[in-house]
Amino acid sequence: TPLLEQDHTSPSCTQREPLVLEPQHENRIVDIFPQVPVQTVLDKSLFSPPPPGARWACGQQRRQLRDDFDKFEMGALQILKTYDFDNSGTLNMKELKLLLQDYSDPGKPVSDDEVSYVMMVVDKNHEHTNDQQDIVFGLRAWHAWNHMPTGVDAAFTQYGIGPGLPLPSLQALQDLMLTLNESQPVDIMEVEYVRSLAVSLGATAEHASTDQMRKAIAAWYLNIERAETGSTSLATASPNDVTGKDALQVGDLPQ
């Protein structure tokens, strides 16, 4: 099965079971968020990704997709060895595009929009650089963007997120994320990060597209601790399994 099924307007989610939506969440972590000034929300460098979520605090579908990604996760050092052609210690746009293409469905070219999205997610500290951990974080976000459950779209509709609609409030976004997390706790830092990433992707207080919100949610969706497993038990999947290209070793990657 290909690692990613690329459909840039509506990423493939057909292999996931529908997410069961709940009408309300009576036990919120924060009942009322303070009103955040627009100028603060629009500060694109305000929030960095929170630490990976504990597995016990993540819904089953998020854990399952995280575990599915583990089958394709290369060692971070191996990524740089393979794609860092200029030996700079980071990946530039051209090198990143080659990496994404190797992880794509054969015959479906990677768009510049996809590369820009992953590069933005990879540049977690807003320093225009990326390291080994950043690259894997970006790959997880890209994988989630293409493989989130079909229930994500239904949840977007339920919470008023879509074309022509404004950027959701922190409270509305927390409610959405609680639903996607199957009522498991969602920390305020996670909500702030998703909202600020949506702004970095072009969302404004007056308008946030479905694509912008999906991409922002995707960066959070697989930000989960990996299951405890020894390196000898990891699957040896690689781009070769998907594209027929030369195999790349899967390694044990620390969180």
Side-chain angles (χ1 to χ4, degrees), residues 148-175:
M148 285 189 294
T150 55
V152 170
D153 293 328
F156 274 28
T157 300
Q158 178 178 343
Y159 293 103
I161 297 173
L165 297 173
L167 183 70
S169 67
L170 287 173
Q171 183 65 75
L173 187 54
Q174 186 204 27
D175 288 345

Side-chain angles (χ1 to χ4, degrees), residues 55-89:
R55 292 180 65 85
W56 66 264
C58 299
Q60 180 180 358
Q61 292 196 357
R62 287 184 69 200
R63 294 196 309 269
Q64 181 180 345
L65 189 58
R66 177 68 174 92
D67 293 344
D68 289 346
F69 178 79
D70 287 348
K71 301 172 186 176
F72 303 94
E73 189 172 321
M74 295 188 300
L77 183 59
Q78 185 66 42
I79 291 177
L80 288 182
K81 285 181 177 179
T82 304
Y83 294 94
D84 182 21
F85 300 110
D86 59 3
N87 297 314
S88 65

Side-chain angles (χ1 to χ4, degrees), residues 100-154:
L100 296 182
Q101 190 62 65
D102 278 353
Y103 268 75
S104 299
D105 193 25
K108 293 185 178 181
V110 173
S111 69
D112 291 339
D113 176 65
E114 290 177 272
V115 180
S116 296
Y117 164 60
V118 175
M119 185 62 78
M120 179 178 292
V121 173
V122 162
D123 186 20
K124 295 187 296 183
N125 297 319
H126 314 284
E127 296 174 348
H128 305 292
T129 60
N130 52 73
D131 60 21
Q132 299 148 340
Q133 300 299 318
D134 293 336
I135 293 166
V136 176
F137 182 86
L139 286 175
R140 286 203 301 262
W142 193 52
H143 184 71
W145 179 42
N146 284 272
H147 292 85
M148 285 189 294
T150 55
V152 170
D153 293 328

Side-chain angles (χ1 to χ4, degrees), residues 82-255:
T82 304
Y83 294 94
D84 182 21
F85 300 110
D86 59 3
N87 297 314
S88 65
T90 66
L91 297 187
N92 58 36
M93 294 285 285
K94 183 177 180 180
E95 293 165 340
L96 179 61
K97 188 169 186 176
L98 290 173
L99 168 62
L100 296 182
Q101 190 62 65
D102 278 353
Y103 268 75
S104 299
D105 193 25
K108 293 185 178 181
V110 173
S111 69
D112 291 339
D113 176 65
E114 290 177 272
V115 180
S116 296
Y117 164 60
V118 175
M119 185 62 78
M120 179 178 292
V121 173
V122 162
D123 186 20
K124 295 187 296 183
N125 297 319
H126 314 284
E127 296 174 348
H128 305 292
T129 60
N130 52 73
D131 60 21
Q132 299 148 340
Q133 300 299 318
D134 293 336
I135 293 166
V136 176
F137 182 86
L139 286 175
R140 286 203 301 262
W142 193 52
H143 184 71
W145 179 42
N146 284 272
H147 292 85
M148 285 189 294
T150 55
V152 170
D153 293 328
F156 274 28
T157 300
Q158 178 178 343
Y159 293 103
I161 297 173
L165 297 173
L167 183 70
S169 67
L170 287 173
Q171 183 65 75
L173 187 54
Q174 186 204 27
D175 288 345
L176 168 69
M177 293 167 68
L178 281 167
T179 292
L180 299 181
N181 205 31
E182 300 173 55
S183 297
Q184 296 301 310
V186 176
D187 191 273
I188 180 60
M189 291 190 301
E190 298 175 280
V191 183
E192 290 172 335
Y193 169 66
V194 170
R195 199 164 191 255
S196 65
L197 181 56
V199 170
S200 295
L201 291 164
T204 65
E206 296 75 25
H207 179 265
S209 70
T210 301
D211 184 62
Q212 290 162 348
M213 294 306 301
R214 280 190 66 97
K215 287 176 178 176
I217 287 289
W220 159 79
Y221 200 84
L222 286 191
N223 190 27
I224 303 171
E225 294 176 347
R226 194 172 67 182
E228 292 290 336
T229 180
S231 59
T232 57
S233 64
L234 290 177
T236 56
S238 70
N240 184 57
D241 300 315
V242 180
T243 65
K245 295 181 173 61
D246 292 339
L248 299 174
Q249 180 180 356
V250 174
D252 215 6
L253 179 69
Q255 292 296 334

